[in-house]
Amino acid sequence: MMDYTPFLDLLTELEEIPRAWEETLAQQIKRALQPAGNRDIAGWEEIIAQLPSARPSQIALNTAAIQIGKKDDLDDQTRDHLEKLLRRLHPWRKGPLSFFDIFIDTEWRSDWKWERLKDHIEPLRKRLVLDVGSGNGYFCWRMRGAGARLVIGIDPYLKYVYQFAAMQKYINDPSVQVLPLGIDDLPESLQCFDTVFSMGVLYHRRSPFDHLFKLKGLLKSGGQLVLETLVIEGENGQVLVPQGRYAKMRNVWFIPSAPSLQNWLKRAGFHDIRLIDVSLTTTDEQRSTDWMQFESLPDFLNPADNRYTLEGYPRPRRAIFLAKRP
């Protein structure tokens, strides 16, 4: 199993982290990564174990593509072996990433989303940060590159956790970690994070208010929430509740208008609420690639009128809100 010891040891040095949570984390991680619970774990563990040893001559976290090493750090045969192993972790959704000049062109141009928000959020320098639904940890590394003291990502989809492990093997920074947990696995009212990100999660939750209240409980007083989610055009009170699928996704429950979501944040007890961006998702930002060969946004839109999804709903539009816990 992946070694979380350096990260867990680091937590014991941080007085902001509740001791009770530290004591349960190791067991939660162990349970989540039991091979009996997921038959693919053994294969992913094998991939991580086979990654070639190398010391990258550079690490760059403040670039569009996370840069791990240079081409000259590995011989051609070793690079080819590394690429084959990384391809076994398909699909790669968040990025882009570069392993020793092996460019991973991910489904999402996640760097575009980061550019939309990075100059609006409170500076992350020396902050404790949580990334809910972190995927493979692309944004976690960008947060660390922005100066965060500790970044914890959580995602229950284990393949993403192993993609992060591939990056961590070479970056080797215990101050950044992606845990194989969902938000429901976190204790109520941790109240220890300076910044909490929830990006691309809210519309997957059956109870959006429960999600907002949980996010508030994770923040310390005065902490900032960065909330990115699907929205529709419309006035306060308008909410899309898809009948069945939305853009071929089964688990989309509520898509509010931006004014409705602002009201939800107020009702959940947040203040200093700001809408900093609304963007229509384009097929340049989300698409299939050689590293994510499943269907993507172009396959989810009505070919006769791409203003709509295949189901006839407005095409994906995403908003970013900032808010604070009192």
Side-chain angles (χ1 to χ4, degrees):
M1 190 177 80
M2 289 180 288
D3 184 12
Y4 286 86
T5 304
F7 165 74
L8 295 171
D9 288 345
L10 179 61
L11 287 191
T12 65
E13 302 173 8
L14 299 175
E15 60 183 25
E16 297 95 333
I17 303 296
R19 300 285 84 86
W21 188 38
E22 287 178 28
E23 293 167 2
T24 61
L25 257 182
Q27 288 304 313
Q28 284 184 300
I29 293 168
K30 184 177 180 180
R31 283 195 300 270
L33 297 179
Q34 284 295 324
N38 187 319
R39 63 184 181 182
D40 294 319
I41 286 178
W44 296 330
E45 291 277 359
E46 180 186 8
I47 292 169
I48 300 304
Q50 290 183 11
L51 292 174
S53 297
R55 179 173 294 179
S57 58
Q58 71 167 15
I59 299 292
L61 305 180
N62 288 323
T63 52
I66 301 297
Q67 300 285 331
I68 301 172
K70 297 180 179 179
K71 183 176 182 179
D72 293 342
D73 295 339
L74 299 178
D75 60 54
D76 290 344
Q77 184 177 358
T78 304
R79 286 180 71 256
D80 289 345
H81 177 59
L82 174 59
E83 179 171 348
K84 289 176 182 177
L85 291 171
L86 294 174
R87 287 187 179 278
R88 287 173 59 187
L89 290 171
H90 174 277
W92 291 81
R93 297 192 182 274
K94 291 186 180 182
L97 310 161
S98 177
F99 285 78
F100 304 99
D101 205 39
I102 300 167
F103 182 70
I104 299 182
D105 188 13
T106 50
E107 176 188 18
W108 280 92
R109 287 297 306 266
S110 305
D111 54 309
W112 294 6
K113 186 180 297 184
W114 185 253
E115 287 296 321
R116 293 182 191 120
L117 64 85
K118 69 180 180 65
D119 294 329
H120 298 278
I121 63 176
E122 293 187 349
L124 296 181
R125 183 169 173 76
K126 296 185 178 182
R127 292 170 82 96
L128 271 61
V129 180
L130 177 70
D131 184 9
V132 177
S134 63
N136 63 22
Y138 171 85
F139 289 116
C140 295
W141 293 118
R142 299 304 304 265
M143 296 164 194
R144 177 65 166 159
R149 178 161 50 119
L150 175 76
V151 184
I152 299 176
I154 57 172
D155 202 296
Y157 187 54
L158 297 185
K159 183 175 281 188
Y160 299 153
V161 176
Y162 282 94
Q163 289 177 355
F164 172 82
M167 296 180 238
Q168 183 66 287
K169 176 179 175 68
Y170 299 110
I171 300 177
N172 191 25
D173 183 352
S175 296
V176 182
Q177 191 56 259
V178 171
L179 304 178
L181 306 175
I183 191 170
D184 295 332
D185 296 313
L186 302 189
E188 296 292 335
S189 300
L190 273 176
Q191 299 184 42
C192 64
F193 292 102
D194 299 293
T195 306
V196 170
F197 289 79
S198 173
M199 299 193 289
V201 178
L202 183 67
Y203 48 88
H204 291 313
R205 305 298 293 179
R206 294 185 184 185
S207 174
F209 275 97
D210 285 347
H211 186 64
L212 294 177
F213 278 111
K214 185 66 178 268
L215 294 171
K216 188 176 74 170
L218 297 168
L219 284 162
K220 65 194 300 184
S221 179
Q224 185 175 61
L225 170 67
V226 183
L227 179 68
E228 189 268 357
T229 189
L230 291 172
V231 294
I232 57 170
E233 293 183 296
E235 304 300 322
N236 185 25
Q238 291 185 275
V239 181
L240 171 63
V241 181
Q243 300 281 327
R245 299 190 183 202
Y246 171 84
K248 288 196 174 184
M249 292 185 286
R250 295 186 183 91
N251 58 340
V252 175
W253 297 93
F254 298 93
I255 306 179
S257 64
S260 296
L261 182 50
Q262 183 165 355
N263 188 47
W264 291 3
L265 287 162
K266 289 179 182 177
R267 291 290 304 274
F270 288 96
H271 72 108
D272 194 15
I273 301 165
R274 292 190 291 137
L275 173 63
I276 62 168
D277 185 79
V278 178
S279 297
L280 200 65
T281 306
T282 70
T283 54
D284 290 325
E285 184 172 3
Q286 183 191 10
R287 71 278 189 261
S288 301
T289 73
D290 191 42
W291 290 85
M292 205 303 292
Q293 297 179 15
F294 300 144
E295 289 184 326
S296 191
L297 182 60
D299 306 292
F300 306 153
L301 301 178
N302 185 333
D305 189 344
N306 66 13
R307 294 176 301 170
Y308 301 96
T309 68
L310 286 172
E311 302 86 2
Y313 299 119
R315 68 179 290 163
R317 180 182 305 270
R318 308 182 80 92
I320 304 173
F321 277 90
L322 307 181
K324 284 190 177 182
R325 175 178 179 147

